[in-house]
C-alpha cells in the first residue's frame, strides 16, 4: 500500500525525485531553532487553526505537510509584495540578529585565546592560509583589521564575510602558512612544473594530499588535461585554446536570443544569481556575465545533455583558482573590474576548458533521465548496506530513500554540502585520482554519510532524517576534516573497488 501511495505521489508531483532545489545547507544555514519555536508560539496565539502535532513518518506525509521556502518558481516577475512576506515578526528579526552577533563574538574571542602561540604570523600578510576551526574563525575577525587594495564596491552591506563563505586557502598539512614542510612541498611542485616534460604521475602523487595555492592554477590545468606536459608547448596551447573559446563566443553567443535556445539561456540566467549567494564575488554583474557565456557555450556544444541545473556550481572552483593567479588578497570580496580585460579573458577561457574536461568524464550524469546519477546512487546504497548495515536499516525503517538526499551529492559533487574552500581542496585529490570525479566520488560520499552515523541514528522520524541530511553541519570544516574524509574514502576504495561483488547482496 505504501509503495502504491508513493507511486501516486510522484505521478501527481510536477517535480522529479531528487530535483535540484536550493535548500538550507552548508551555504544556507537555518535560523536558530529556539527562535523558531518562539515565533511559532507567538503566531499560534493569533492563529486559532490547530496545527498538526503528528510527525511526518513517510515522504508522502512530509511533502504534504511541509512547504519548500525556496520553491519560488522560475518567474522573475513574481510579486514579492504578497501577504506572506509582510508577516515577519519584528521581535523575531531582532532576536535573530542579536543571536548571530553573539555567536560571532564568541567565535572571535575563543580562537584568539587558543591560538595565542601563533601570533608570529605577519599581520599584513595578504594571502591567508588556514585549515583548523580556530584559524578560520580568527581569519573572519581579522578581516576587519586588514585593508586590502581592492574591495567589492557594489555590495557595501557585506563588509564581513560569513565563515561559510570564506575561501581562505587550505594548506595540505593543516599548519600555519609556509611552514618548513610546506616550503619543501612547494619547491617540489615548482621543480616538477618547470621540468622540460612534467612527470604527470609524480605530479598526481604530490597533489593527492593537496596543492599549494601558489602553483594550483597551473597544476589544475595539467591534471585536467588542458595543458600539455611539455613546457615549450604550453604557451602556444593556451593562446590557441583561448582564441578558440572566444571564437565560439562570436559564433554562437548571439543565438541565445533565438527561439530554440531561449529556454536554455533563460534557465542559465535564472540559476547564476543562485550560485554561492553568500559570496559577493559571484554576485558581481561582470562575473555573472562570464558564467552565462561559459554555461551557454558548453550547453550548445553538448546537445546530448544541454544545460542541467547544478552544472553552474561546477564552474566556481575553477574560476576562483584561476582568479587567484592574479589576486594576492582573499578573492571572496575582490572587485574583478580591477583586472585587465586580458586577465579576465584568460580566466574565463581556462574555466570553460577545464570545466569541459571535468564534464566529459561524468556527462552521463546530465543526459536524459540522468542515468549516471541513478547508477551511482544505487551503488552508494549497496555500499552503505555493507559497510554500515545499522545506518542502512535505519533509513529503511523510516522509509528514507537514498535518492532523496544523495541525488544532490552526485549531481553537484558535494558542493552544496561543503564550503567552497573545502571543495577546492577536495578537487585537488579528485584530479589526482583516476576517474576521481566519477568513481572515487562514490567512496567519498559513502565516507561522508558514515561520518554522521551518530546524528543519523539519533533521528527517529522521516522528517528529522531528511532535514539533517540536507543541513549537515560542515560550516566550520577545513583542511583537516577533508583530509580525514579522503583517507576514509581511500580505505573504502581499497577494500571494495576491485571487488564490486563484495558490497552486493
Amino acid at each position: 500500500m505504501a509503495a502504491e501511495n508513493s507511486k501516486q505521489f510522484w505521478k501527481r508531483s510536477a517535480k522529479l525525485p531528487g530535483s535540484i532545489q536550493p535548500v538550507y545547507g552548508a551555504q544556507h544555514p537555518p535560523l536558530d531553532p529556539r527562535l523558531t519555536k518562539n515565533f511559532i508560539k507567538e503566531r499560534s496565539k493569533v492563529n486559532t487553526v490547530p496545527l498538526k502535532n503528528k510527525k511526518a513518518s513517510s515522504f508522502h506525509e512530509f511533502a504534504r505537510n511541509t512547504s519548500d521556502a525556496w520553491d519560488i518558481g522560475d518567474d522573475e516577475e513574481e510579486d514579492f509584495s504578497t501577504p506572506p512576506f509582510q508577516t515577519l515578526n519584528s521581535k523575531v528579526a531582532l532576536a535573530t540578529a542579536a543571536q548571530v552577533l553573539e555567536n560571532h563574538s564568541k567565535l572571535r574571542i575563543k580562537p584568539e585565546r587558543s591560538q595565542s602561540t601563533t601570533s608570529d604570523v605577519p599581520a599584513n600578510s595578504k594571502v591567508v592560509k588556514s585549515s583548523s576551526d580556530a584559524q578560520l574563525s580568527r581569519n573572519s575577525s581579522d578581516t576587519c583589521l586588514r585593508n586590502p587594495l581592492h574591495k567589492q564596491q557594489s555590495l557595501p552591506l557585506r563588509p564581513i564575510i560569513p565563515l561559510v563563505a570564506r575561501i581562505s586557502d587550505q594548506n595540505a598539512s593543516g599548519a600555519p602558512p609556509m611552514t618548513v614542510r610546506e616550503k619543501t612541498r612547494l619547491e617540489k611542485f615548482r621543480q616538477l612544473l618547470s621540468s622540460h616534460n612534467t612527470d604527470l604521475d609524480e605530479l598526481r602523487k604530490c597533489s593527492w594530499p593537496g596543492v599549494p595555492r601558489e602553483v594550483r592554477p597551473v597544476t589544475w590545468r595539467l591534471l585536467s588535461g588542458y595543458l600539455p606536459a611539455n613546457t615549450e608547448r604550453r604557451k602556444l596551447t593556451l593562446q590557441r585554446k583561448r582564441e578558440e573559446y572566444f571564437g565560439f563566443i562570436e559564433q554562437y553567443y548571439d543565438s541565445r536570443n533565438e527561439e530554440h535556445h531561449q529556454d536554455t539561456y533563460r534557465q542559465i540566467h535564472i540559476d547564476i544569481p543562485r550560485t554561492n549567494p553568500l559570496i559577493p564575488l559571484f554576485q558581481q554583474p561582470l562575473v555573472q556575465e562570464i558564467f552565462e557565456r561559459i554555461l551557454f557555450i558548453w550547453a550548445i556544444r553538448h546537445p546530448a545533455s544541454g544545460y542541467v541545473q547544478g552544472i553552474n556550481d561546477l564552474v566556481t572552483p575553477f574560476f576562483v583558482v584561476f582568479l587567484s593567479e592574479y589576486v594576492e588578497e582573499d578573492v571572496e570580496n575582490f572587485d574583478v573590474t580591477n583586472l585587465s580585460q586580458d586577465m579576465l579573458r584568460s580566466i574565463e577561457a581556462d574555466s570553460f576548458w577545464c570545466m569541459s574536461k571535468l564534464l566529459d568524464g561524468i556527462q552521463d550524469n546530465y543526459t536524459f533521465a540522468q542515468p549516471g546519477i541513478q547508477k551511482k546512487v544505487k551503488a552508494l546504497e549497496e555500499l552503505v548496506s555493507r559497510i554500515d548495515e545499522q545506518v542502512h536499516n535505519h533509513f529503511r525503517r523510516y522509509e528514507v530513500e537514498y535518492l532523496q538526499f544523495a541525488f544532490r551529492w552526485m549531481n553537484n559533487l558535494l558542493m552544496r554540502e561543503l564550503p567552497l574552500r573545502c571543495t577546492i581542496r577536495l578537487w585537488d585529490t579528485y584530479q589526482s585520482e583516476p576517474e576521481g570525479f566519477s568513481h572515487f566520488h562514490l567512496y567519498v560520499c559513502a565516507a561522508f554519510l558514515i561520518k554522521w552515523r551518530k546524528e543519523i541514528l539519533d533521528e527517529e522520524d522521516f522528517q528529522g532524517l531528511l532535514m539533517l541530511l540536507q543541513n549537515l553541519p560542515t560550516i566550520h570544516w577545513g583542511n583537516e576534516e577533508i583530509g580525514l574524509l579522503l583517507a576514509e574514502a581511500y580505505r573504502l576504495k581499497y577494500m571494495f573497488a576491485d571487488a564490486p561483488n563484495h558490497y552486493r547482496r
Side-chain angles (χ1 to χ4, degrees):
M1 187 64 183
E4 183 178 354
N5 290 338
S6 178
K7 292 180 180 178
Q8 291 298 323
F9 170 75
W10 292 120
K11 289 180 180 178
R12 292 196 302 271
S13 176
K15 298 176 182 178
L16 294 174
S19 58
I20 306 289
Q21 292 291 326
V23 296
Y24 292 122
Q27 299 173 357
H28 309 288
L31 290 174
D32 191 320
R34 294 171 294 179
L35 299 176
T36 306
K37 291 178 181 177
N38 294 335
F39 177 63
I40 293 174
K41 290 180 180 178
E42 291 184 14
R43 291 293 302 275
S44 64
K45 295 178 182 178
V46 180
N47 189 359
T48 58
V49 179
L51 297 174
K52 293 185 178 180
N53 294 323
K54 182 182 178 181
K55 292 184 178 179
S57 59
S58 68
F59 185 70
H60 191 176
E61 294 178 11
F62 173 70
R64 185 178 60 198
N65 296 336
T66 60
S67 59
D68 189 349
W70 286 86
D71 192 13
I72 60 175
D74 293 336
D75 190 355
E76 291 181 306
E77 299 178 357
E78 184 172 357
D79 184 8
F80 287 95
S81 62
T82 52
F85 292 91
Q86 298 176 356
T87 60
L88 179 63
N89 188 294
S90 59
K91 293 182 180 179
V92 176
L94 291 174
T96 303
Q99 185 68 32
V100 171
L101 291 173
E102 182 183 350
N103 291 340
H104 275 280
S105 64
K106 291 179 181 178
L107 288 174
R108 293 178 185 179
I109 294 171
K110 292 179 180 178
E112 289 176 357
R113 292 177 179 174
S114 61
Q115 294 294 329
S116 59
T117 57
T118 62
S119 59
D120 59 331
V121 180
N124 60 352
S125 176
K126 290 184 178 179
V127 179
V128 180
K129 302 182 180 181
S130 62
S131 55
S132 66
D133 294 351
Q135 288 174 321
L136 286 172
S137 302
R138 186 185 62 182
N139 287 342
S140 296
S141 63
D142 288 348
T143 306
C144 301
L145 303 177
R146 284 181 290 170
N147 184 24
L149 295 176
H150 308 299
K151 281 292 181 183
Q152 164 66 0
Q153 301 296 324
S154 60
L155 296 166
L157 298 179
R158 291 178 177 175
I160 299 176
I161 308 300
L163 178 61
V164 68
R166 295 285 294 167
I167 319 178
S168 301
D169 183 68
Q170 301 295 293
N171 286 326
S173 64
M178 299 310 293
T179 61
V180 174
R181 180 176 181 273
E182 286 301 314
K183 288 181 180 179
T184 303
R185 292 191 72 246
L186 180 58
E187 185 60 29
K188 174 68 172 177
F189 270 93
R190 285 176 171 161
Q191 289 177 0
L192 279 170
L193 297 172
S194 62
S195 61
H196 182 69
N197 284 297
T198 300
D199 186 342
L200 294 181
D201 290 335
E202 185 65 23
L203 184 62
R204 291 188 184 96
K205 182 180 178 181
C206 292
S207 301
W208 206 100
V211 181
R213 179 186 191 272
E214 294 82 356
V215 294
R216 184 175 277 135
V218 64
T219 301
W220 277 27
R221 292 187 188 105
L222 284 165
L223 293 179
S224 65
Y226 174 44
L227 272 187
N230 186 285
T231 53
E232 296 178 355
R233 296 173 50 206
R234 290 177 191 170
K235 185 176 180 179
L236 290 176
T237 300
L238 282 177
Q239 181 180 349
R240 176 174 57 83
K241 297 297 284 185
R242 289 167 180 171
E243 290 175 354
E244 185 179 355
Y245 168 72
F246 284 101
F248 294 153
I249 296 291
E250 294 178 5
Q251 184 177 359
Y252 299 118
Y253 194 58
D254 288 340
S255 67
R256 67 189 185 280
N257 298 317
E258 296 177 4
E259 184 177 356
H260 58 289
H261 287 151
Q262 280 184 351
D263 289 343
T264 297
Y265 179 73
R266 180 175 177 272
Q267 188 61 58
I268 292 172
H269 186 72
I270 290 170
D271 288 345
I272 293 299
R274 300 173 180 174
T275 305
N276 297 103
L278 293 178
I279 302 178
L281 172 68
F282 299 114
Q283 302 309 309
Q284 299 178 46
L286 185 55
V287 173
Q288 293 184 357
E289 290 172 9
I290 290 173
F291 277 40
E292 284 183 0
R293 288 194 293 269
I294 290 174
L295 294 171
F296 182 77
I297 295 301
W298 187 88
I300 63 175
R301 294 189 73 244
H302 296 80
S305 61
Y307 173 75
V308 177
Q309 284 182 301
I311 294 179
N312 55 304
D313 288 328
L314 305 184
V315 185
T316 55
F318 292 114
F319 184 84
V320 167
V321 167
F322 297 139
L323 176 62
S324 68
E325 198 169 18
Y326 304 98
V327 179
E328 292 183 357
E329 63 192 69
D330 294 335
V331 300
E332 59 263 30
N333 227 13
F334 182 76
D335 186 352
V336 296
T337 59
N338 290 290
L339 295 177
S340 68
Q341 188 65 24
D342 287 342
M343 291 177 180
L344 288 173
R345 287 169 64 91
S346 298
I347 294 169
E348 179 177 348
D350 293 354
S351 298
F352 169 81
W353 286 115
C354 287
M355 185 197 74
S356 298
K357 293 287 187 181
L358 185 161
L359 289 172
D360 285 347
I362 57 173
Q363 192 168 356
D364 62 341
N365 284 7
Y366 305 105
T367 53
F368 178 73
Q370 298 180 274
I373 292 179
Q374 303 280 352
K375 292 176 183 177
K376 290 182 178 71
V377 171
K378 183 63 177 176
L380 176 65
E381 181 177 358
E382 294 173 343
L383 182 58
V384 172
S385 70
R386 284 301 187 190
I387 63 178
D388 199 324
E389 189 172 7
Q390 188 177 2
V391 168
H392 178 72
N393 290 335
H394 193 70
F395 286 152
R396 295 184 63 182
R397 178 181 178 184
Y398 295 105
E399 302 180 17
V400 174
E401 298 291 338
Y402 284 76
L403 194 66
Q404 292 162 354
F405 64 88
F407 181 94
R408 191 172 72 182
W409 297 9
M410 302 299 178
N411 191 73
N412 299 85
L413 299 177
L414 288 177
M415 287 194 63
R416 298 283 179 93
E417 327 314 316
L418 300 170
L420 184 54
R421 59 179 178 269
C422 295
T423 298
I424 292 173
R425 167 62 191 91
L426 188 67
W427 285 21
D428 286 342
T429 300
Y430 278 5
Q431 297 193 84
S432 307
E433 275 280 327
E435 299 180 324
F437 291 98
S438 54
H439 187 62
F440 187 62
H441 180 67
L442 168 66
Y443 299 96
V444 172
C445 288
F448 186 66
L449 180 63
I450 302 306
K451 163 75 177 175
W452 310 102
R453 75 180 310 274
K454 181 181 182 299
E455 292 80 357
I456 289 170
L457 295 175
D458 286 343
E459 294 291 341
E460 296 184 347
D461 63 84
F462 175 88
Q463 180 175 345
L465 281 167
L466 210 58
M467 291 300 291
L468 169 68
L469 293 166
Q470 291 181 345
N471 298 273
L472 292 167
T474 60
I475 182 174
H476 291 282
W477 274 34
N479 187 71
E480 182 178 354
E481 289 79 7
I482 294 298
L484 292 172
L485 179 70
L486 289 167
E488 178 63 15
Y490 185 82
R491 185 185 72 85
L492 294 175
K493 179 190 173 187
Y494 184 82
M495 292 174 61
F496 295 104
D498 296 326
N501 291 328
H502 187 42
Y503 63 72
R504 289 179 183 163
R505 292 186 179 277

